[in-house]
Amino acid sequence: MAIHQGKTSWRKSSHSLANGDCVEVASPLPQAIAVRDSKDPQGPTLTFTPHAWSSFVTTVNDGSYDL
């Protein structure tokens, strides 16, 4: 899916670090959630279906990826 950088509204994670290591999420997009690295806004993006993104967020919130 092509992401039109100039027409897409990105928001930074509330858990972003002060050193610039941040994740940004684009919304709303039709039928997709887009994610990018805020240090490289013109770089690649990952896109997910709403169901896949919801599943990922749920597993992050329940601690499945905690080290």
Side-chain angles (χ1 to χ4, degrees):
M1 166 181 272
I3 306 298
H4 301 287
Q5 300 289 353
K7 297 179 182 179
T8 303
S9 176
W10 294 89
R11 64 184 171 89
K12 198 176 287 190
S13 168
S14 61
H15 296 283
S16 296
L17 301 176
N19 66 2
D21 289 338
C22 306
V23 172
E24 293 180 324
V25 177
S27 61
L29 297 174
Q31 304 300 314
I33 306 298
V35 181
R36 72 178 182 186
D37 181 344
S38 65
K39 294 185 307 286
D40 188 12
Q42 299 305 314
T45 61
L46 300 173
T47 56
F48 302 88
T49 65
H51 177 17
W53 181 251
S54 177
S55 295
F56 171 71
V57 170
T58 297
T59 57
V60 167
N61 287 334
D62 74 12
S64 293
Y65 300 114
D66 290 353
L67 299 176

